Structure formats: C-alpha cells, structure tokens
Amino acid sequence: MSVKFTVKMTEEYMYDFFLYNTYTSISGILGPVLGVIALMMAVNSYMNSGFTAAMPGLLVAILFLVISPVQLKSRAKMQVQQSEMFKKPLEYEFNEAGVTVRQDELEAVNEWSDFAKAVSTQKSVILYLNRVRALIFPKECMGEQYEEVLKMIHTHMQPSKVKIRHIH
C-alpha cells in the first residue's frame, strides 16, 4: 500500500509548526505564563498607582504575549521564502519502507525507524527525525488520504513515539 500527495509549503503551515515547536517546550510554556503574570501585575499596579507604575509589567506582557508570536510569524515567512527546498512543491509517498520525498530529480527516503516522534497540530501532521529536523505534512494537502496516512504512521511506528490524539 502506498499513499502519495504533494505539499506546497506556505508561511501558514510553517507558522503552525513553529507554534507547536515553541509552545510545547518548557521554555515555550513559561513565556506566556510570565506574560499573563506580568499583565495581571500591570493591571494591579495601574489600579493602585497609575499608568506609570503599570508600564514595566505591561511591557513584559507585550513582549511575551504579542512580540514573541509575531516574531515566530516573521521567522516562518523568512524560512519559506529563503529555503530553496520550499520554492517548489514536494511530493511525499508513504509506503511499507518509510516516507519518500521527491522534488524534481532528487529523492530521499526516510525509513520508519528514522522517525523519533509523530505529532499532529491543528493544521499538520509532523514526523520528527530529531529535535530540529522534521517533515511537515499539512492536513489540507493530504485531503481524503489523511486517515490512510495516520494508519500508516500508527502501523509502522512504535506507539510510544506517536503523539497523535485520534484518527478523524
């Protein structure tokens, strides 16, 4: 059995990947928590002492709750625009041997044992090769083959490596 689909990487898909990568780590979770705490302190300071006293907390809250996500969005845009690999669509084939990636005359095969983890986000399924390398499969690009892809992942990867909540 084989499942094939084509992915044209976009800023939106890359941003979804960056959000997942950032906000599922301890340091990524701490940022928003600190931002909310700073915002609460700023509101408290404003109510007790006025706007000037609230400024430091407000600035910290803006840094963690607004600037960080905006920077991720900007980084996603740069990644997609500057990477040669994303200038043309990538063809993926899932089969018994693993996942094959093709673009023009280039081809690379990742065996199922090469993958360290499989996760799903709101927009994509991600197969990690290591902490910094991953293959991103937007659900939109898989279309009706989404369930078949998930079945292949569940069949060929160890259950402890698959962090995909459910099959739709």
Side-chain angles (χ1 to χ4, degrees):
M1 184 172 127
S2 170
V3 179
K4 295 180 182 180
F5 56 91
T6 301
V7 171
K8 174 65 176 133
M9 187 54 63
T10 67
E11 175 186 334
E12 176 186 12
Y13 302 143
M14 187 61 67
Y15 182 56
D16 178 63
F17 170 72
F18 283 161
L19 284 175
Y20 178 84
N21 250 14
T22 300
Y23 294 116
T24 56
S25 69
I26 296 296
S27 62
I29 293 168
L30 281 176
V33 169
L34 290 173
V36 169
I37 291 170
L39 184 60
M40 290 184 335
M41 289 172 64
V43 168
N44 188 40
S45 294
Y46 176 75
M47 293 175 82
N48 292 326
S49 305
F51 187 72
T52 305
M55 280 301 292
L58 190 57
L59 292 174
V60 170
I62 289 170
L63 174 69
F64 285 113
L65 300 175
V66 178
I67 294 175
S68 291
V70 169
Q71 283 181 319
L72 286 177
K73 187 124 179 114
S74 173
R75 198 171 126 214
K77 184 177 183 176
M78 281 180 31
Q79 179 82 22
V80 170
Q81 287 178 346
Q82 293 178 357
S83 177
E84 285 298 317
M85 178 174 64
F86 298 138
K87 292 200 188 308
K88 295 180 184 176
L90 296 160
E91 295 175 26
Y92 290 100
E93 179 179 359
F94 283 65
N95 57 39
E96 301 303 314
V99 180
T100 303
V101 184
R102 292 182 189 91
Q103 189 176 56
D104 296 329
E105 58 278 339
L106 300 175
E107 178 176 296
V109 178
N110 292 289
E111 296 177 11
W112 288 109
S113 60
D114 295 341
F115 297 110
K117 180 170 74 168
V119 301
S120 91
T121 68
Q122 186 175 356
K123 297 181 190 242
S124 302
V125 171
I126 305 166
L127 293 180
Y128 284 89
L129 293 154
N130 57 43
R131 285 186 60 230
V132 293
R133 279 191 59 219
L135 300 179
I136 305 166
F137 309 108
K139 292 175 183 178
E140 201 172 77
C141 296
M142 288 184 263
E144 294 178 10
Q145 298 178 78
Y146 174 71
E147 286 188 38
E148 289 180 57
V149 169
L150 291 189
K151 285 178 188 171
M152 293 204 72
I153 291 169
H154 282 281
T155 300
H156 296 290
M157 288 182 68
Q158 295 174 11
S160 62
K161 293 181 175 184
V162 180
K163 310 292 184 208
I164 299 174
R165 289 175 201 74
H166 53 78
I167 299 175
H168 295 177

